[in-house]
Amino acid sequence: MSTVNDSNLYTIMHARKSVRVYDPTHKIPQKTIEEIIKEATSAPSSSNLQPWKFLVIQDDKTKVELRAIANNQEQVETSSAVIAVLGNAEMYKNVEQIYSQNVAEDHMDETTKDLMITSTNRSYPYASLEVRKNIATFDAGLISMQLMLVAKEKGYDTVTMGGFDKTKFVERFDLPEHIFPVVLIAIGKAAAPAYGSSRLPLNEFVQFI
């Protein structure tokens, strides 16, 4: 049985750092990026509606444009790719497909499927846009962390970026109204080690009652 000290999960968690200096000559194959994203989709989401989309930016000229949108952060241009994690505020429109697939894969029966679809259609479409965007943003955060851990397991480094002009991003990539950017994740091969970082003592932010 694995322990905290020898578990591969813990090794990857502690090895993952925010890398900002990348080897610009290294290109990750598209198939590998697809595998990373596919593995990351095992992340949980509200009602399993999976309110995320990904825009993978590999083209060098497009990355130069994106760098200007992203506060001139060098890693946007030098990383192998930038994965834009997007939220889908109309996630409920996928409910039939998702729960039908659950039945096809023997995760639930027809009765449960019908109950889940009915419950979703009674709530999500009537929630405010702000509420639905908050749900999608939260779930995008879960899959983003999972994506970075999967990438590290495959030998790649990452850094998340929230500092970019979201309005200009929407305009440049012509996103529909219900799709919105959450974070950018640069991925590639590190050309310099990342800085270490400290963590506050547990007793400063955990309370047991």
Side-chain angles (χ1 to χ4, degrees), residues 51 88-92 124-137 178 180:
N88 178 5
E90 294 184 355
M91 71 290 272
Y92 58 88
Y124 282 82
Y126 302 101
S128 68
L129 177 61
E130 180 183 8
V131 167
R132 286 186 275 117
K133 288 184 75 171
N134 284 341
I135 292 170
T137 299
H178 65 287
F180 60 97

Side-chain angles (χ1 to χ4, degrees), residues 30-67:
Q30 180 174 321
K31 183 178 179 181
T32 301
I33 295 177
E34 289 174 350
E35 290 171 354
I36 291 170
I37 295 174
K38 183 176 181 180
E39 290 297 331
T41 60
S42 64
S45 61
S46 179
S47 301
N48 192 34
L49 293 179
Q50 304 161 52
W52 44 59
K53 288 184 176 293
F54 300 90
L55 181 62
V56 182
I57 302 160
Q58 297 174 290
D59 177 71
D60 289 338
K61 290 183 179 179
T62 306
K63 287 195 292 180
V64 170
E65 293 181 58
L66 181 58
R67 179 172 177 172

